Every structure is written in structure tokens, then in C-alpha cells.
Amino acid sequence: MAELPPVVARMWDREPTTRRGPRPRLDLATITMAAIEIADTEGLAAVSMSNVAAQVGVAPMALYRYVGSKDELLTVMAESAVPPPPERGNLSWRAYLATWTRLNRDLLLSRPWLLDLRQSTPPMGPRRLLWLDRALDALSGTGLDDGEKFNAATALTGYALTNATLTHSLGAGGEKFAAGAKGATEYGEILAEVLDPATYPALSAMMNSGLLRDSTGWMEDADFRFGLDLLLDGIEALIARSAR
Amino acid sequence: MAELPPVVARMWDREPTTRRGPRPRLDLATITMAAIEIADTEGLAAVSMSNVAAQVGVAPMALYRYVGSKDELLTVMAESAVPPPPERGNLSWRAYLATWTRLNRDLLLSRPWLLDLRQSTPPMGPRRLLWLDRALDALSGTGLDDGEKFNAATALTGYALTNATLTHSLGAGGEKFAAGAKGATEYGEILAEVLDPATYPALSAMMNSGLLRDSTGWMEDADFRFGLDLLLDGIEALIARSAR
DNA sequence: AGTCTACTCTGTACGACATACACGATAGCT
DNA sequence: AGCTATCGTGTATGTCGTACAGAGTAGACT
């Protein structure tokens, strides 16, 4: 029986019910909600212990009664921001996983600070695991083995993440990205200016044909579906193969 | 003609050749190499302006003559850490993209701090763009249009990234991940302890069948190939379809 | 009831960090 | 020779995460 890391315990409400001392004025949920609200409105950079504490009306150090460190708080935020997964209904595995992945991506786009958080941790909270469970469940009739199902779900989440990242950085969010360019158009202009056709033959040919120049329609929904179908086609091929 | 953001200009050596004043004692390349060495040996957290400055024997503020901000330095690091892409040889597009993606992932695993860096920026440096160019080039005989080629390359890079992230966080690297667990085995134990089979039917069934318990062979190369083949199969299907 | 003590929140303090600013030194330019 | 753009330095500021010690609170124990 492994010992639960403190954050995990807190995410699953495994805290021992308090015995002595003054009643806590807060709980983890309100702190987390306050932090999320700050992240939503002012960005992740504004989520400092001081700001969060001020938001809930408490001295900064009080937060450490509920959270071991700022990193823990961020982890809990990443978990709490996740809504329940979509209902299966009577969708085929493919249709379900398509909306599952799309909603996953939409979540990341609606809360861009999730992109800045380290997704490097495998899911441990109840909500993220529920998503995982539903994806596995959708694949349960297909004859794939456990490892294949898990890998398929992983690949889909990963795609949602990278697509959201790309869409957001190029996108209408209006956020500057690190290099200072403002969007797909400017990105294309920069590339066109800098590329030597001799060393970058394929890329500069693509630039000349104007891919990024007419930036309407760039990174539209079709581009998301493209990669999604790539993966779903792959899964479908795998299912067909393992049915034999 | 778009104005080049300063970092981009620096990455492409577009700096005006210096005219007046004392000869610079440094250049961007040595600063970047020093920063990369620190990141390689002590992790990204140790890359502070003071540390980098100390490494090259200069006062911290001197770095700002070469770099506009720490963020810029990180961007340049992410670019400079990239080796040249593999040679095409006479590989099929599929074989080439397979090793292309694998090397991409191996790079991320060998320099884990790249995972911590914001990959949210589309590639702008010469080295990353060279990788992109080679992938596009590999697809040039396949009849895909520009957008499809670009999206395919994007999906593959994304997969390399998410797979490297997952492998690294579960992996033998021995790094703790944010929640404090130590690896796949412990992860499995935590899940087993916490999951209610009623609300997580598929997941807890998978746990009981022992997927994560025998952690040898977990996240081995086969798991990487699995997702890779998913994508490549998808691309292949697309090529076949668009050939008609 | 009175005492103990675990637990709450607060205030202060420290060390790290990114970076703004002003200064003296340097070396090409006129 | 003198001007001036540029270079590296030293100092300073504001922010941050968090360690620590203390004062108040309220259930547990006698």
C-alpha cells in the first residue's frame, strides 16, 4: 500500500477530519477557485501566493495550511479546472473519442493557462482520471488490449494538447508569443524573409505558394480534424488488424 | 516586409556588425552554450541570469547586451539545442518520418529541460525550421497538398513531444514528478488505492489486470512505436485516399 | 471546570531572482 | 584630437516563495 503523496490525498479529500484547534476559515476548494479565477482573468503569471491570499482575504502564509507549496496549488488547479467528460450516449467508439478529444482541446483553449502548466504529470486527480476512464471504456468493445487502449487514449490527449498549443500561439487569442510575432500572417512574413530556398527547399516552396499568407482559414477547425482523423484512422486500422 | 523580432534576428545572425565601442567580450553563442551546459547538468531551474553570467565570467547585467530578457535566452537555447535533422538517404517517406520522429523524441529525452521550455512558439530558428523542411520534403512525392503536409509534420512533432513528456515523467530518469510519486509502479499503486470501481469501471478493471504493476516493459520502445504507427498509418491512408 | 495541546492565522524576515539605471571605460568615426 | 555609440559593472528596486516564531482558538483529557 503506497503512501499517498500529499497533493493526491488532498485532491481525493483524504484529509483526516480536523480534530483540535480553531475551525479553518478556508478550504482547499475555495483557494483553488480563487486561484483559477485569477488565472482566468489575469493570466497564470498573476497567480502568486500573495494574490491568491488577498483574493480569499487571508495572509499569504495562511495558504500553506492547505497546500504544501505553490507547485501543489498549481497541480490542484490543473485538476479542478477539468469538467466532467461527455456522456457516451450511443455513440460509436470513434464518434465518442472524436468529441472527447475535441472537448479536451476546447478546454485547453478556453483556459490557456492550462497550457502553461506542466502537463508532465500523469493524471492523478479524480476528474482527469474520469476522462481517461471514459476513453478506455469507449474502446472496451473493440478487442484492443489494455496497453493499446491506454496508448490510444494517451495519443489522443497528446494531440489535443499540441493542437491547442499551436492554435493558441498562432491564434486569435491575440497573445503575443515568445518571439514577438503576432499571428500566422506575421509568422509567414518572417519566414518568407529569412528562408534561403537552397537550404530550405520544401519550406520556401510552401511559403511561395502562399500557405500562410491568406491567414483566413488557417488553423481552422479543419486543421484540428485533420490530425484527429489521422489518429482515429490509425486506431481503426489497428482494430481491424487485431480482429483477425 | 515585416520587422524581425529581436530574438529571431539574433538567431539568424542578422545583428548589424558592431561599429563603435569596446569589442564585445562575448557573443550570443557562448552565452547560449553556457546556459545549455547549466541546464544539462543542473536542470533548467539553475539557469538564472546570475548563474549564466558567472559561467561565462561576467557580471549578470552584461548578458542584457546580447539578450533582451531571460525569456529570449530560453528561446535561443531551445533553438540551439537542436541538432541537424537526419539525412533522407533513399528511405521511403514513411521510414524517414519514423526515424525523424524518433530522433525528435530522443532529443527531448536527452535534454529534458526542453520539455519544460515553452514549446508554444512555432519554430522560427534555422535549426528547427530545417527539421520542418526535411519532413515536408519527405512528403513531397505523395500528392498531399501543402496544408496536409504541414499538419502531418505538426502532428508528428506533437506526438514526439507528448510521448517524451510521458516517458520522462514515468521514466527511469528518476526524476520525481510533481505529485511526488516515483515511477510507473508507484503510480499504479496510487491509482489502485484510490479508484472506486463503480465510478471508474474501465480504469480499475485495467489496474486489476495488472497493466502498471509489472513495470518492466512499461513505456518501452514498443509504446512509442505504437502511437507513431497510428499516425503513420493515418497518413498512409490519407495518401491512398488522395491518390484517387 | 480547568488544563493541555494540536492546530489556526499573522507578521516578520530572508534569500533568490529579473531587471532598471547610471557610471566609467573603450575604440571606431569625423 | 575629440565625439559618441557601445560595453561591462555596481547598485538598487520590487516581487516572489517560503521558513520561522508567536498569539489566539477550541476540542481532548483530567
Side-chain angles (χ1 to χ4, degrees):
Chain A
M1 173 115 51
E3 202 173 323
L4 289 182
V7 219
V8 181
R10 274 189 268 260
M11 285 191 298
W12 290 84
D13 295 326
R14 290 297 182 79
E15 292 293 276
T17 50
T18 331
R19 308 237 179 269
R20 277 209 270 268
R23 288 178 219 104
R25 292 225 294 261
L26 302 168
D27 62 1
L28 182 54
T30 48
I31 293 176
T32 308
M33 282 176 48
I36 288 180
E37 188 180 325
I38 294 175
D40 281 341
T41 60
E42 303 172 66
L44 192 61
V47 178
S48 66
M49 295 307 259
S50 313
N51 277 346
V52 176
Q55 180 95 3
V56 296
V58 145
M61 288 306 291
L63 302 182
Y64 287 92
R65 292 283 146 193
Y66 303 88
V67 154
S69 67
K70 186 185 179 180
D71 259 12
E72 278 196 17
L73 176 58
L74 294 177
T75 303
V76 178
M77 285 173 66
E79 160 69 19
S80 304
V82 175
E87 290 293 334
R88 173 73 187 272
N90 46 11
L91 296 175
S92 67
W93 68 262
R94 181 164 179 142
Y96 181 76
L97 287 185
T99 72
W100 184 91
T101 307
R102 175 183 302 278
L103 289 175
N104 199 334
R105 183 198 73 144
D106 289 346
L107 168 67
L108 295 172
L109 287 178
S110 71
R111 296 195 190 277
W113 50 269
L114 283 172
L115 297 172
D116 296 332
L117 249 35
R118 36 187 344 60
Q119 303 285 3
S120 70
T121 303
M124 299 265 231
R127 312 171 95 115
R128 289 201 120 85
L129 285 177
L130 200 61
W131 278 75
L132 177 57
D133 184 83
R134 293 307 180 262
L136 297 175
D137 193 57
L139 288 171
S140 65
T142 56
L144 299 185
D145 68 36
D146 284 352
E148 291 168 331
K149 283 189 279 190
F150 190 89
N151 279 328
T154 299
L156 287 173
T157 344
Y159 177 68
L161 187 107
T162 57
N163 181 277
T165 304
L166 189 59
T167 304
H168 179 255
S169 66
L170 284 177
E175 330 275 338
K176 85 281 173 196
F177 47 91
K182 291 282 173 45
T185 310
E186 194 164 336
Y187 178 58
E189 285 173 8
I190 289 172
L191 288 194
E193 181 164 348
V194 113
L195 287 180
D196 169 20
T199 52
Y200 302 87
L203 243 187
S204 50
M206 181 176 287
M207 288 299 115
N208 288 338
S209 79
L211 171 61
L212 287 174
R213 223 157 7 194
D214 42 356
S215 73
T216 36
W218 167 248
M219 267 301 146
E220 292 287 308
D221 197 63
D223 291 297
F224 170 70
R225 261 197 310 256
F226 175 89
L228 178 58
D229 285 335
L230 239 51
L231 283 166
L232 293 175
D233 284 351
I235 295 174
E236 194 158 334
L238 179 72
I239 289 175
R241 218 178 305 140
S242 74
R244 281 188 291 109
Chain B
M1 173 114 53
E3 200 173 323
L4 289 182
V7 218
V8 181
R10 274 187 267 259
M11 287 191 299
W12 289 84
D13 296 324
R14 290 299 182 78
E15 292 294 278
T17 49
T18 334
R19 308 241 179 266
R20 277 210 269 268
R23 285 179 218 102
R25 290 225 293 260
L26 302 168
D27 60 2
L28 182 55
T30 48
I31 293 175
T32 308
M33 281 178 47
I36 288 180
E37 187 179 326
I38 293 175
D40 280 341
T41 61
E42 303 173 65
L44 192 61
V47 178
S48 66
M49 297 305 263
S50 314
N51 276 346
V52 176
Q55 180 93 2
V56 296
V58 150
M61 288 306 292
L63 301 182
Y64 288 92
R65 296 278 160 196
Y66 301 88
V67 154
S69 67
K70 186 185 178 178
D71 260 11
E72 278 195 18
L73 176 57
L74 294 177
T75 303
V76 179
M77 285 173 66
E79 160 69 18
S80 303
V82 175
E87 289 293 335
R88 173 72 186 271
N90 46 10
L91 296 175
S92 66
W93 67 263
R94 181 165 178 141
Y96 181 77
L97 287 185
T99 73
W100 185 90
T101 308
R102 175 183 302 278
L103 290 175
N104 199 334
R105 184 198 72 144
D106 289 347
L107 168 67
L108 295 172
L109 287 179
S110 73
R111 295 193 190 277
W113 50 269
L114 283 172
L115 297 171
D116 297 332
L117 249 37
R118 33 187 347 61
Q119 302 285 2
S120 70
T121 304
M124 298 265 233
R127 310 171 95 115
R128 290 202 117 87
L129 285 178
L130 199 60
W131 278 75
L132 177 57
D133 183 83
R134 293 306 180 263
L136 297 174
D137 192 57
L139 288 170
S140 66
T142 57
L144 298 185
D145 69 36
D146 283 352
E148 291 167 331
K149 284 188 280 190
F150 189 89
N151 280 327
T154 299
L156 288 172
T157 344
Y159 178 67
L161 188 106
T162 58
N163 181 277
T165 304
L166 188 59
T167 303
H168 179 255
S169 66
L170 285 176
E175 331 273 338
K176 85 280 169 196
F177 47 90
K182 292 280 175 44
T185 309
E186 195 165 336
Y187 179 58
E189 285 172 8
I190 289 173
L191 288 194
E193 184 166 347
V194 112
L195 287 180
D196 170 20
T199 50
Y200 302 87
L203 242 188
S204 49
M206 181 176 288
M207 288 298 115
N208 289 336
S209 77
L211 171 62
L212 287 175
R213 225 156 6 192
D214 43 355
S215 74
T216 36
W218 168 249
M219 266 303 148
E220 292 287 308
D221 197 63
D223 291 296
F224 170 70
R225 260 198 310 256
F226 175 89
L228 178 58
D229 285 335
L230 239 51
L231 283 166
L232 293 176
D233 284 351
I235 295 172
E236 192 159 335
L238 179 73
I239 291 175
R241 218 178 304 143
S242 75
R244 279 187 292 111

PDB file of all heavy atoms in Angstrom, chain B residues 104-125:
ATOM      1  N   ASN B 104      13.584  13.074 -32.938  1.00  0.00           N
ATOM      2  CA  ASN B 104      12.961  14.215 -32.288  1.00  0.00           C
ATOM      3  C   ASN B 104      12.667  13.885 -30.829  1.00  0.00           C
ATOM      4  O   ASN B 104      13.007  14.637 -29.911  1.00  0.00           O
ATOM      5  CB  ASN B 104      11.659  14.531 -33.037  1.00  0.00           C
ATOM      6  CG  ASN B 104      11.156  15.925 -32.783  1.00  0.00           C
ATOM      7  OD1 ASN B 104      11.439  16.501 -31.753  1.00  0.00           O
ATOM      8  ND2 ASN B 104      10.404  16.457 -33.732  1.00  0.00           N
ATOM      9  N   ARG B 105      12.072  12.741 -30.609  1.00  0.00           N
ATOM     10  CA  ARG B 105      11.755  12.344 -29.243  1.00  0.00           C
ATOM     11  C   ARG B 105      13.024  12.094 -28.429  1.00  0.00           C
ATOM     12  O   ARG B 105      13.135  12.509 -27.269  1.00  0.00           O
ATOM     13  CB  ARG B 105      10.917  11.064 -29.236  1.00  0.00           C
ATOM     14  CG  ARG B 105      10.477  10.671 -27.854  1.00  0.00           C
ATOM     15  CD  ARG B 105      10.038   9.224 -27.795  1.00  0.00           C
ATOM     16  NE  ARG B 105      11.175   8.315 -27.898  1.00  0.00           N
ATOM     17  CZ  ARG B 105      11.264   7.163 -27.232  1.00  0.00           C
ATOM     18  NH1 ARG B 105      10.283   6.804 -26.422  1.00  0.00           N
ATOM     19  NH2 ARG B 105      12.302   6.381 -27.383  1.00  0.00           N
ATOM     20  N   ASP B 106      13.991  11.434 -29.035  1.00  0.00           N
ATOM     21  CA  ASP B 106      15.225  11.151 -28.305  1.00  0.00           C
ATOM     22  C   ASP B 106      15.921  12.431 -27.871  1.00  0.00           C
ATOM     23  O   ASP B 106      16.490  12.501 -26.776  1.00  0.00           O
ATOM     24  CB  ASP B 106      16.168  10.316 -29.181  1.00  0.00           C
ATOM     25  CG  ASP B 106      15.661   8.896 -29.355  1.00  0.00           C
ATOM     26  OD1 ASP B 106      14.739   8.507 -28.608  1.00  0.00           O
ATOM     27  OD2 ASP B 106      16.170   8.179 -30.228  1.00  0.00           O
ATOM     28  N   LEU B 107      15.867  13.437 -28.720  1.00  0.00           N
ATOM     29  CA  LEU B 107      16.440  14.718 -28.334  1.00  0.00           C
ATOM     30  C   LEU B 107      15.785  15.240 -27.065  1.00  0.00           C
ATOM     31  O   LEU B 107      16.460  15.663 -26.125  1.00  0.00           O
ATOM     32  CB  LEU B 107      16.238  15.726 -29.470  1.00  0.00           C
ATOM     33  CG  LEU B 107      16.524  17.184 -29.091  1.00  0.00           C
ATOM     34  CD1 LEU B 107      18.006  17.368 -28.808  1.00  0.00           C
ATOM     35  CD2 LEU B 107      16.061  18.131 -30.181  1.00  0.00           C
ATOM     36  N   LEU B 108      14.467  15.181 -27.033  1.00  0.00           N
ATOM     37  CA  LEU B 108      13.757  15.696 -25.866  1.00  0.00           C
ATOM     38  C   LEU B 108      14.087  14.888 -24.619  1.00  0.00           C
ATOM     39  O   LEU B 108      14.148  15.429 -23.513  1.00  0.00           O
ATOM     40  CB  LEU B 108      12.246  15.667 -26.128  1.00  0.00           C
ATOM     41  CG  LEU B 108      11.774  16.598 -27.239  1.00  0.00           C
ATOM     42  CD1 LEU B 108      10.310  16.362 -27.551  1.00  0.00           C
ATOM     43  CD2 LEU B 108      11.994  18.054 -26.840  1.00  0.00           C
ATOM     44  N   LEU B 109      14.303  13.605 -24.789  1.00  0.00           N
ATOM     45  CA  LEU B 109      14.632  12.782 -23.621  1.00  0.00           C
ATOM     46  C   LEU B 109      16.064  13.015 -23.158  1.00  0.00           C
ATOM     47  O   LEU B 109      16.357  12.891 -21.964  1.00  0.00           O
ATOM     48  CB  LEU B 109      14.420  11.305 -23.936  1.00  0.00           C
ATOM     49  CG  LEU B 109      12.956  10.883 -24.028  1.00  0.00           C
ATOM     50  CD1 LEU B 109      12.848   9.403 -24.367  1.00  0.00           C
ATOM     51  CD2 LEU B 109      12.236  11.186 -22.719  1.00  0.00           C
ATOM     52  N   SER B 110      16.933  13.350 -24.101  1.00  0.00           N
ATOM     53  CA  SER B 110      18.322  13.543 -23.694  1.00  0.00           C
ATOM     54  C   SER B 110      18.548  14.930 -23.109  1.00  0.00           C
ATOM     55  O   SER B 110      19.538  15.162 -22.430  1.00  0.00           O
ATOM     56  CB  SER B 110      19.255  13.323 -24.889  1.00  0.00           C
ATOM     57  OG  SER B 110      19.144  14.417 -25.792  1.00  0.00           O
ATOM     58  N   ARG B 111      17.653  15.831 -23.356  1.00  0.00           N
ATOM     59  CA  ARG B 111      17.726  17.170 -22.758  1.00  0.00           C
ATOM     60  C   ARG B 111      16.359  17.509 -22.174  1.00  0.00           C
ATOM     61  O   ARG B 111      15.620  18.338 -22.727  1.00  0.00           O
ATOM     62  CB  ARG B 111      18.078  18.225 -23.807  1.00  0.00           C
ATOM     63  CG  ARG B 111      19.459  18.077 -24.424  1.00  0.00           C
ATOM     64  CD  ARG B 111      19.779  19.375 -25.179  1.00  0.00           C
ATOM     65  NE  ARG B 111      20.964  19.301 -26.014  1.00  0.00           N
ATOM     66  CZ  ARG B 111      22.194  19.475 -25.575  1.00  0.00           C
ATOM     67  NH1 ARG B 111      22.416  19.680 -24.302  1.00  0.00           N
ATOM     68  NH2 ARG B 111      23.210  19.421 -26.407  1.00  0.00           N
ATOM     69  N   PRO B 112      16.049  16.912 -21.045  1.00  0.00           N
ATOM     70  CA  PRO B 112      14.678  17.017 -20.526  1.00  0.00           C
ATOM     71  C   PRO B 112      14.235  18.452 -20.284  1.00  0.00           C
ATOM     72  O   PRO B 112      13.036  18.731 -20.272  1.00  0.00           O
ATOM     73  CB  PRO B 112      14.740  16.261 -19.198  1.00  0.00           C
ATOM     74  CG  PRO B 112      15.953  15.410 -19.270  1.00  0.00           C
ATOM     75  CD  PRO B 112      16.905  16.115 -20.181  1.00  0.00           C
ATOM     76  N   TRP B 113      15.166  19.344 -20.106  1.00  0.00           N
ATOM     77  CA  TRP B 113      14.777  20.729 -19.868  1.00  0.00           C
ATOM     78  C   TRP B 113      14.065  21.317 -21.084  1.00  0.00           C
ATOM     79  O   TRP B 113      13.303  22.286 -20.950  1.00  0.00           O
ATOM     80  CB  TRP B 113      15.982  21.573 -19.478  1.00  0.00           C
ATOM     81  CG  TRP B 113      17.161  21.444 -20.391  1.00  0.00           C
ATOM     82  CD1 TRP B 113      18.198  20.564 -20.272  1.00  0.00           C
ATOM     83  CD2 TRP B 113      17.424  22.221 -21.568  1.00  0.00           C
ATOM     84  NE1 TRP B 113      19.084  20.739 -21.312  1.00  0.00           N
ATOM     85  CE2 TRP B 113      18.652  21.752 -22.108  1.00  0.00           C
ATOM     86  CE3 TRP B 113      16.759  23.264 -22.205  1.00  0.00           C
ATOM     87  CZ2 TRP B 113      19.207  22.296 -23.271  1.00  0.00           C
ATOM     88  CZ3 TRP B 113      17.320  23.811 -23.363  1.00  0.00           C
ATOM     89  CH2 TRP B 113      18.535  23.326 -23.874  1.00  0.00           C
ATOM     90  N   LEU B 114      14.259  20.724 -22.245  1.00  0.00           N
ATOM     91  CA  LEU B 114      13.500  21.185 -23.403  1.00  0.00           C
ATOM     92  C   LEU B 114      12.007  20.989 -23.177  1.00  0.00           C
ATOM     93  O   LEU B 114      11.178  21.736 -23.692  1.00  0.00           O
ATOM     94  CB  LEU B 114      13.932  20.430 -24.657  1.00  0.00           C
ATOM     95  CG  LEU B 114      15.254  20.879 -25.281  1.00  0.00           C
ATOM     96  CD1 LEU B 114      15.662  19.934 -26.395  1.00  0.00           C
ATOM     97  CD2 LEU B 114      15.122  22.301 -25.815  1.00  0.00           C
ATOM     98  N   LEU B 115      11.678  19.959 -22.397  1.00  0.00           N
ATOM     99  CA  LEU B 115      10.266  19.709 -22.120  1.00  0.00           C
ATOM    100  C   LEU B 115       9.666  20.812 -21.257  1.00  0.00           C
ATOM    101  O   LEU B 115       8.479  21.115 -21.355  1.00  0.00           O
ATOM    102  CB  LEU B 115      10.103  18.361 -21.411  1.00  0.00           C
ATOM    103  CG  LEU B 115      10.542  17.125 -22.194  1.00  0.00           C
ATOM    104  CD1 LEU B 115      10.525  15.888 -21.312  1.00  0.00           C
ATOM    105  CD2 LEU B 115       9.622  16.934 -23.392  1.00  0.00           C
ATOM    106  N   ASP B 116      10.503  21.379 -20.406  1.00  0.00           N
ATOM    107  CA  ASP B 116       9.999  22.434 -19.524  1.00  0.00           C
ATOM    108  C   ASP B 116       9.864  23.768 -20.242  1.00  0.00           C
ATOM    109  O   ASP B 116       9.178  24.669 -19.763  1.00  0.00           O
ATOM    110  CB  ASP B 116      10.942  22.613 -18.326  1.00  0.00           C
ATOM    111  CG  ASP B 116      10.994  21.352 -17.473  1.00  0.00           C
ATOM    112  OD1 ASP B 116       9.997  20.614 -17.471  1.00  0.00           O
ATOM    113  OD2 ASP B 116      12.012  21.121 -16.809  1.00  0.00           O
ATOM    114  N   LEU B 117      10.559  23.877 -21.343  1.00  0.00           N
ATOM    115  CA  LEU B 117      10.503  25.150 -22.066  1.00  0.00           C
ATOM    116  C   LEU B 117       9.188  25.280 -22.803  1.00  0.00           C
ATOM    117  O   LEU B 117       8.601  24.306 -23.216  1.00  0.00           O
ATOM    118  CB  LEU B 117      11.656  25.203 -23.064  1.00  0.00           C
ATOM    119  CG  LEU B 117      12.756  26.198 -22.751  1.00  0.00           C
ATOM    120  CD1 LEU B 117      13.014  26.284 -21.267  1.00  0.00           C
ATOM    121  CD2 LEU B 117      14.024  25.770 -23.457  1.00  0.00           C
ATOM    122  N   ARG B 118       8.756  26.483 -22.993  1.00  0.00           N
ATOM    123  CA  ARG B 118       7.514  26.641 -23.729  1.00  0.00           C
ATOM    124  C   ARG B 118       7.745  26.302 -25.194  1.00  0.00           C
ATOM    125  O   ARG B 118       8.410  27.015 -25.920  1.00  0.00           O
ATOM    126  CB  ARG B 118       6.932  28.035 -23.610  1.00  0.00           C
ATOM    127  CG  ARG B 118       7.879  29.189 -23.482  1.00  0.00           C
ATOM    128  CD  ARG B 118       7.158  30.480 -23.214  1.00  0.00           C
ATOM    129  NE  ARG B 118       5.717  30.467 -23.406  1.00  0.00           N
ATOM    130  CZ  ARG B 118       4.849  29.699 -22.741  1.00  0.00           C
ATOM    131  NH1 ARG B 118       5.269  28.823 -21.880  1.00  0.00           N
ATOM    132  NH2 ARG B 118       3.572  29.775 -22.949  1.00  0.00           N
ATOM    133  N   GLN B 119       7.159  25.193 -25.571  1.00  0.00           N
ATOM    134  CA  GLN B 119       7.187  24.829 -26.979  1.00  0.00           C
ATOM    135  C   GLN B 119       6.029  25.524 -27.674  1.00  0.00           C
ATOM    136  O   GLN B 119       5.688  25.171 -28.796  1.00  0.00           O
ATOM    137  CB  GLN B 119       7.050  23.309 -27.126  1.00  0.00           C
ATOM    138  CG  GLN B 119       8.114  22.525 -26.403  1.00  0.00           C
ATOM    139  CD  GLN B 119       9.447  22.564 -27.129  1.00  0.00           C
ATOM    140  OE1 GLN B 119       9.568  23.224 -28.157  1.00  0.00           O
ATOM    141  NE2 GLN B 119      10.441  21.897 -26.601  1.00  0.00           N
ATOM    142  N   SER B 120       5.456  26.488 -26.992  1.00  0.00           N
ATOM    143  CA  SER B 120       4.236  27.078 -27.526  1.00  0.00           C
ATOM    144  C   SER B 120       4.518  27.964 -28.724  1.00  0.00           C
ATOM    145  O   SER B 120       3.628  28.337 -29.454  1.00  0.00           O
ATOM    146  CB  SER B 120       3.542  27.889 -26.436  1.00  0.00           C
ATOM    147  OG  SER B 120       4.283  29.049 -26.152  1.00  0.00           O
ATOM    148  N   THR B 121       5.769  28.282 -28.912  1.00  0.00           N
ATOM    149  CA  THR B 121       6.121  29.115 -30.053  1.00  0.00           C
ATOM    150  C   THR B 121       6.334  28.265 -31.298  1.00  0.00           C
ATOM    151  O   THR B 121       7.029  27.269 -31.236  1.00  0.00           O
ATOM    152  CB  THR B 121       7.411  29.879 -29.753  1.00  0.00           C
ATOM    153  OG1 THR B 121       7.231  30.616 -28.556  1.00  0.00           O
ATOM    154  CG2 THR B 121       7.764  30.795 -30.881  1.00  0.00           C
ATOM    155  N   PRO B 122       5.736  28.672 -32.399  1.00  0.00           N
ATOM    156  CA  PRO B 122       6.050  27.975 -33.645  1.00  0.00           C
ATOM    157  C   PRO B 122       7.524  28.154 -33.954  1.00  0.00           C
ATOM    158  O   PRO B 122       8.139  29.141 -33.550  1.00  0.00           O
ATOM    159  CB  PRO B 122       5.189  28.702 -34.689  1.00  0.00           C
ATOM    160  CG  PRO B 122       4.291  29.595 -33.950  1.00  0.00           C
ATOM    161  CD  PRO B 122       4.807  29.777 -32.582  1.00  0.00           C
ATOM    162  N   PRO B 123       8.106  27.203 -34.633  1.00  0.00           N
ATOM    163  CA  PRO B 123       9.549  27.265 -34.862  1.00  0.00           C
ATOM    164  C   PRO B 123       9.936  28.464 -35.711  1.00  0.00           C
ATOM    165  O   PRO B 123       9.302  28.769 -36.703  1.00  0.00           O
ATOM    166  CB  PRO B 123       9.846  25.953 -35.587  1.00  0.00           C
ATOM    167  CG  PRO B 123       8.553  25.509 -36.156  1.00  0.00           C
ATOM    168  CD  PRO B 123       7.490  26.032 -35.246  1.00  0.00           C
ATOM    169  N   MET B 124      10.985  29.122 -35.314  1.00  0.00           N
ATOM    170  CA  MET B 124      11.450  30.320 -36.017  1.00  0.00           C
ATOM    171  C   MET B 124      12.941  30.274 -36.283  1.00  0.00           C
ATOM    172  O   MET B 124      13.450  31.057 -37.078  1.00  0.00           O
ATOM    173  CB  MET B 124      11.202  31.553 -35.153  1.00  0.00           C
ATOM    174  CG  MET B 124       9.756  31.786 -34.875  1.00  0.00           C
ATOM    175  SD  MET B 124       9.072  32.930 -36.040  1.00  0.00           S
ATOM    176  CE  MET B 124       8.348  34.085 -34.878  1.00  0.00           C
ATOM    177  N   GLY B 125      13.660  29.404 -35.579  1.00  0.00           N
ATOM    178  CA  GLY B 125      15.109  29.379 -35.739  1.00  0.00           C
ATOM    179  C   GLY B 125      15.509  28.493 -36.896  1.00  0.00           C
ATOM    180  O   GLY B 125      14.732  27.657 -37.361  1.00  0.00           O
TER     181      GLY B 125
END
